[in-house]
Structures are given as C-alpha cells and as structure tokens.
Amino acid sequence: MLLETANLNAGYGFLHILRDVSLKVDEGEFVCLIGPNGAGKSTTLRTIAGLIRPYDGRVSFRGQPINGLAGHRITQLGVSYISEAMNLFTNMTVHENLMMGAYTIRDKAFLRNQLDFVYSLFPRLEERRNQLSGTMSGGERKMLAIARGLMSNPKMVLVDEPSFGLSPLMTKAVFEALDLLNRERGLTILVVEQNVTLTLAATNRGYVIENGRIVLEGPSPALAADEYVRRVFLGI
Amino acid sequence: MIHWFKGFFAWLRTAAGVSVSAAVLLAAFAAIDRGPYVLVNTVVMGGMLGLVAMGLAIILGVLNIPSFVHGEFFMIGGLAAYYVITPIKDYLFENPSPFLAVVGPVLAIGAATLAGALAGALAELLVFRELRRRNRDNWVMNCFLLTVGLNVILINGHQLLFGADFKGIVSYWEGRPIELFDVAVSMDRLLAFLISVSIVVGFWLFMKYTRTGRAIRAVAQDETGATMVGIPLGWIMTLTMALGCGLAAVAGGSLLFMYPSYPTVGMEATYMAWFVVILVGLGRVLGALVGGFMVALLKIVTLEYVGSGWDFVVPSALIILVLIFKPSGIFGSEVRGVLDQ
C-alpha cells in the first residue's frame, strides 16, 4: 500500500471536519475523492500533505507513519500536493517557479531531465518560460501548478480541484494530462473534484465523502452507476 | 533605442519616477548651492540607512514581523564592534603594526555582523517561533507588541550590563582624509560606503542566484507554496531573521565612529528604517536601498537649510503625505504578505 490513512480526525482549531477518514491508495492507482462543498475533501489532502496537523489517526506512506511531519518533509519523501489555490510564486517567472518546484533535487542533470519532461508535457509553458506567473491566464497557471508539483519527481501527487476556475475545454486537457501521467509514467494520483461525471470517467477507483465521513467507496464505473451517487451528485 | 526612451519617460511619470527625479534635482541643487560635501554625506549615510532598511524590509516580507526592535540590532552591532576594536587599539598603541591596523577594523565589523545575526536568530528561535507554534491569530499585531517589548528589554539590558555612557571611537582607520571633489572624506566614511556597496551587491547576488536565496524569495511570496515544494520554513525564517538583523548590525558596526554605542542609539535607526520602508512600500527590498538614499538626502538637506532639530520633522511630514496619497509606497507594492495573514 503506497498511502494509507486510518481513522484520521482533523480540522481547523475547534472546527472538527474529518471524522475517522480511512482510505487506501495503491501504487499506480488513479483514485478520486468526491463529495459536496464543505465535505472535507480539501482538508483530507491538506492533512496528508502535512499542512494541517491531524487531531489523531494515522497517515502512512510506504508503510512509514508521516502524520505530524512538517509539510516540507512530506514533499521530500515523494508526495507532491497541488493545491486548489495553486500557491504559485507570482513574482517569479514560469522557469523560476519550476526551479523552485525542484528545490529538493540537487542533481543538475536529473533536474534538466525533469524540466524537459514537464515542458514536453505542457509545451505552452515553454513558450511562456520568462513570463511572470502572476500575469498568466487561469489555465496556464493551473498547468504551471501541476508542472511545478511534478518537478520534484514525486511518487504520488495529491491534486486539489483541477477543474476549479477552468473552462470545460481546459478541464478536459488537464484531466488528459493527469491520465497520461498515470498510464505512461505510473504516477499514483489522488484527485479531489466537484465535477463528478468527468472524474469518475477518468479514474480507476473512488471514495465519496460527506460531512467529513467516507460514505461509499468502490471502482469508479460502479460509483457512476450507483443509485445514491446518481441521485445526489449527478441529479439523475 | 526609441523604445527605451519611451519606457524611460513612462517611468518618469510614475510615483517612483517623480520622487527619484525630484530627489536627484534636490541633490544637484544642494550640491551646487552649498558644496559637494552634501552629496558625500548623503551617499555615506544613505548606503548605511539602505542596509538597515533592507534588513527591516526582508524581515517584514518573509516573516511578516513589523519589527520595532530593528534599531537595537544596530546598537548590538556597535557594541560588539566597540568591544573588539578597543583592545586592538590599546594593543596597537603599545606595539604599532600596520597589518593589525588594517585587519583590526575588519575584525570589529565582522564581529558586529556576527553578533547581530546571532542575536536575530536567537530572537526568532526564542520569541517568534514560539508564538508561531502556539497561535497565528492577529499575528502582525502580536508581533508588533513583542518587538516593542524586546526593544525595552534590549535597551535596558544594555544599560544594566554595559552602562549608559557613550562607548565610541574617534576613528577606525588612521591616515589622512582623501580629497574627493574638493571635499575631505575621512577613510572611515569612504570605507563605510565601500562596505555598504559590497554588501548590497553580495546580497543581491545571493537572493537572485543561490538556491537558498531563491527559497527566501519563495517564502516571502507564498508560504504554503514554499512548504509544498519542500522548503523548510523554520530554517528559512531563522536564516532571514539572522540576515536582516545582521544587515542592521553591520551598519551599527561600520558607523561606530559617528554613532557611539549607548542604550538608545538604535531608536533613530528604527525610525529612519521605518521611514524608508513606508516610503518605498512594504516588502520592497531593493527599493529600500533607493529609499535609504532619498531619506538620507532629505535629512541632510533639512539639517543644511532648516537647521538641526528639524531633521526628524521633515521626513515624518513626508511619511504622512505618503500615507495619505500613496499608501502602497512610491514603488507601489501590493502589500502582500503583511495583510494576508
């Protein structure tokens, strides 16, 4: 098991959000976490990424406990978090942002390799390499956020709302890129999304979260056909 | 070429362009009217004030701490330099040695920088890190109060341990003043200027081209983003605090011949650094250097034309005008990082 959370409880101060969240992601899987607004999807990712300290429960990565580690240690272990707000360095160029993404890599040749790889994945970024990231369009910034997350050569990426603020066309392109990474590079992906139809079509397996609890889990096609999911999320 | 000119004229019409050209005109007028020594004084004082203000700006930008204890690191620098240079001078009086006469002041200023950086790192580790770990609500206000408290502790600690008398020297380097544009410039002033130039250049190269320097800029721009790419926040913050306080302390050490160390010597440095930082816009590190020269010019021109005692009034009046008409500062920062929390 690559990533596992067991009875995770977390939140912000007195605001208890996650209640006994247990989920498992195996190596090479493309897993989604879906649910309505405020269900705790982003909180789950932020807790795994070490940006929030859980109240209790366990998070383990490759069998090692990582709950309570500082966020930068978790990145160094090979879990890359791509946030909804993107958290780009807006006064740095595209190229500088990517170099910051490779902060944990010291091998120069390997770094150049990674840079070539993300530029081949998103040729648009290479065209804009000297532009300040704060001046780019939403779709380009999202690409940059994903590319920056990939620069550290992670074993696993946590992607928070890849469709947020994007046009349907752009959303599709982002999902295609994630799918490509998963299939061709064997990258393990845990994605959080509100666009349920598209997400269930792209992923292998899914969890449904409501009010901070996991209520359903199963292979994505089964979830897409599930009576409850269809009624609540798809409105059918 | 034409494109370049167009860009230049566009810049002249911005707030930064207007104020920089006004400062240049004022400096030219004062230099012609009263003599070039006005320029020499401005450049020496501006370089040092620029260092202190850069330190304040980087602490503000990276750690989000509005530091009202910044001048006390200037005081610590002066104190450390005094206690290193005095025994060296005493020794030199008995057995003259041209080598030690040159190396001694360098040692003293180096010790000042180190002492300031160490004190800054300690302040971060013992005070601000503890606050950050416990509670980040009202961070800016709480930090402001903590720095004021630290200010009281350091001033009174100085008085308790070292006494309230002036601990100063006449000069670092012996030797005749050098003639520059018909002005006699003492070696100490010239070297103070050279020190500030070399530190600014080194600092700029460090921030632009090293991995750690880029990490500091990244933390200033987005703390969460920096954590996400694997930058250790704690280390970067301690290092930034040490760097910022070291910049104040190197100025304190270099200017020991003008500002003897006594408990409240840092107050003026704190106020002046804040004038600069408000003038150029919070978090503008290189802008703080330009602002340092502008505030120094204003202060010296005021001393020259209005009279001593007014040198605080005019810069303060300017700050009031800046806060009313261009609260983001003349270099127009978005004031991110300070209001965000």
Side-chain angles (χ1 to χ4, degrees):
Chain A
M1 207 53 62
L2 191 67
L3 180 91
E4 192 172 355
T5 73
N7 299 324
L8 201 59
N9 282 277
Y12 305 88
F14 295 113
L15 193 61
H16 191 161
I17 295 180
L18 298 186
R19 293 169 195 276
D20 291 332
V21 169
S22 301
L23 50 84
K24 288 175 183 177
V25 181
D26 220 340
E27 196 139 11
E29 271 193 309
F30 191 175
V31 178
C32 68
L33 183 61
I34 54 177
N37 263 338
K41 305 184 299 289
S42 296
T43 310
T44 309
L45 291 198
R46 291 173 69 85
T47 310
I48 297 171
L51 298 176
I52 304 173
R53 203 173 273 267
Y55 302 147
D56 62 64
R58 203 164 47 80
V59 183
S60 55
F61 181 65
R62 301 171 125 187
Q64 281 178 356
I66 59 167
N67 46 298
L69 283 188
H72 71 272
R73 293 278 304 123
I74 292 173
T75 308
Q76 286 165 5
L77 287 174
V79 181
S80 199
Y81 170 57
I82 296 159
S83 65
E84 178 187 344
M86 297 181 271
N87 296 99
L88 294 175
F89 306 122
T90 47
N91 279 329
M92 290 190 187
T93 62
V94 168
H95 183 74
E96 282 178 308
N97 265 282
L98 292 176
M99 295 303 275
M100 288 318 303
Y103 182 80
T104 52
I105 294 176
R106 283 170 180 278
D107 180 355
K108 285 242 163 67
F110 187 72
L111 200 157
R112 216 167 301 121
N113 212 356
Q114 283 299 103
L115 201 60
D116 288 344
F117 164 65
V118 298
Y119 277 147
S120 70
L121 194 67
F122 300 111
R124 188 68 162 273
L125 292 181
E126 190 161 21
E127 292 164 23
R128 307 260 154 146
R129 68 195 298 272
N130 291 321
Q131 192 174 337
L132 290 184
S133 68
T135 64
M136 297 200 303
S137 75
E140 289 163 346
R141 272 185 288 163
K142 188 61 95 179
M143 286 180 191
L144 178 57
I146 293 172
R148 189 185 69 177
L150 295 174
M151 280 299 287
S152 60
N153 191 30
K155 307 276 175 306
M156 174 170 190
V157 287
L158 312 168
V159 190
D160 199 348
E161 298 272 353
S163 76
F164 183 79
L166 295 190
S167 68
L169 209 66
M170 211 60 227
T171 308
K172 205 159 156 269
V174 166
F175 265 97
E176 272 164 10
L178 289 178
D179 194 45
L180 190 82
L181 284 166
N182 175 248
R183 272 185 296 110
E184 296 196 354
R185 277 230 154 186
L187 184 69
T188 311
I189 302 173
L190 175 59
V191 65
V192 150
E193 246 308 336
Q194 299 214 24
N195 186 337
V196 173
T197 326
L198 188 63
T199 315
L200 287 178
T203 53
N204 315 132
R205 212 155 58 76
Y207 290 89
V208 180
I209 187 168
E210 261 178 21
N211 292 324
R213 290 176 204 279
I214 303 272
V215 291
L216 260 179
E217 62 170 290
S220 297
L223 282 182
D226 186 89
E227 185 64 30
Y228 180 74
V229 173
R230 286 169 69 88
R231 192 159 43 82
V232 174
F233 296 110
L234 306 177
I236 306 170
Chain B
M1 195 66 182
I2 289 170
H3 179 76
W4 190 86
F5 271 117
K6 266 190 184 158
F8 180 70
F9 282 116
W11 177 76
L12 273 186
R13 280 199 297 275
T14 63
V18 170
S19 10
V20 171
S21 28
V24 169
L25 287 179
L26 182 63
F29 172 75
I32 293 165
D33 191 39
R34 293 291 166 108
Y37 68 91
V38 175
L39 284 188
V40 173
N41 285 351
T42 304
V43 163
V44 172
M45 182 131 135
M48 285 294 156
L49 183 54
L51 287 188
V52 181
M54 272 168 75
L56 184 62
I58 194 175
I59 290 172
L60 201 59
V62 176
L63 292 102
N64 243 322
I65 297 173
S67 175
F68 277 79
V69 69
H70 199 60
E72 273 51 61
F73 294 100
F74 179 93
M75 175 266 279
I76 288 174
L79 200 62
Y82 174 78
Y83 280 108
V84 172
I85 195 74
T86 317
I88 293 180
K89 287 261 177 200
D90 285 349
Y91 177 82
L92 274 173
F93 190 70
E94 312 258 300
N95 2 264
S97 129
F99 173 71
L100 195 61
V102 172
V103 173
V106 176
L107 277 180
I109 293 168
T113 318
L114 217 62
L118 214 63
L122 276 179
E124 155 67 15
L125 291 176
L126 298 179
V127 180
F128 300 110
R129 172 167 295 188
E130 291 302 310
L131 176 63
R132 198 177 296 118
R133 220 160 45 103
R134 287 173 166 78
N135 192 346
R136 295 205 68 162
D137 301 339
N138 285 326
W139 170 259
V140 173
M141 191 53 175
N142 287 340
C143 278
F144 161 68
L145 293 173
L146 274 178
T147 60
V148 173
L150 213 53
N151 174 41
V152 173
I153 291 172
L154 287 178
I155 289 177
N156 289 289
H158 180 137
Q159 187 154 356
L160 183 69
L161 297 174
F162 304 100
D165 48 338
F166 283 29
K167 293 165 279 287
I169 54 171
V170 181
S171 70
Y172 273 123
W173 276 281
E174 310 297 333
R176 291 166 48 80
I178 293 169
E179 293 275 324
L180 269 179
F181 313 112
D182 291 337
V183 191
V185 185
S186 72
M187 282 294 275
D188 282 21
R189 281 164 184 262
L190 190 67
L191 280 152
F193 176 66
L194 291 181
I195 287 170
S196 57
V197 169
S198 46
I199 286 178
V200 166
V201 171
F203 186 76
W204 186 78
L205 291 175
F206 170 74
M207 292 295 276
K208 187 91 185 160
Y209 293 109
T210 68
R211 183 168 174 266
T212 313
R214 278 198 296 254
I216 291 177
R217 284 165 58 214
V219 173
Q221 287 177 34
D222 198 312
E223 245 174 64
T224 311
T227 308
M228 278 158 48
V229 300
I231 296 170
L233 281 188
W235 155 239
I236 292 294
M237 287 183 167
T238 312
L239 180 72
T240 307
M241 194 72 178
L243 266 175
C245 297
L247 284 173
V250 73
S254 312
L255 291 182
L256 185 62
F257 63 94
M258 277 169 82
Y259 295 92
S261 197
Y262 57 94
T264 52
V265 67
M267 298 293 244
E268 189 185 338
T270 306
Y271 294 141
M272 282 296 160
W274 271 101
F275 287 160
V276 172
V277 166
I278 292 170
L279 177 72
V280 299
L282 307 179
R284 293 267 144 172
V285 175
L286 282 177
L289 183 67
V290 181
F293 285 107
M294 288 165 73
V295 170
L297 173 74
L298 202 65
K299 198 174 141 110
I300 283 164
V301 168
T302 311
L303 281 174
E304 197 63 35
Y305 286 96
V306 189
S308 56
W310 288 87
D311 58 335
F312 257 79
V313 180
V314 174
S316 312
L318 178 78
I319 292 315
I320 292 171
L321 291 181
V322 167
L323 286 176
I324 292 172
F325 294 107
K326 191 91 170 62
S328 59
I330 57 170
F331 290 99
S333 104
E334 11 167 0
V335 201
R336 246 216 81 262
V338 177
L339 298 182
D340 251 8
Q341 293 292 320

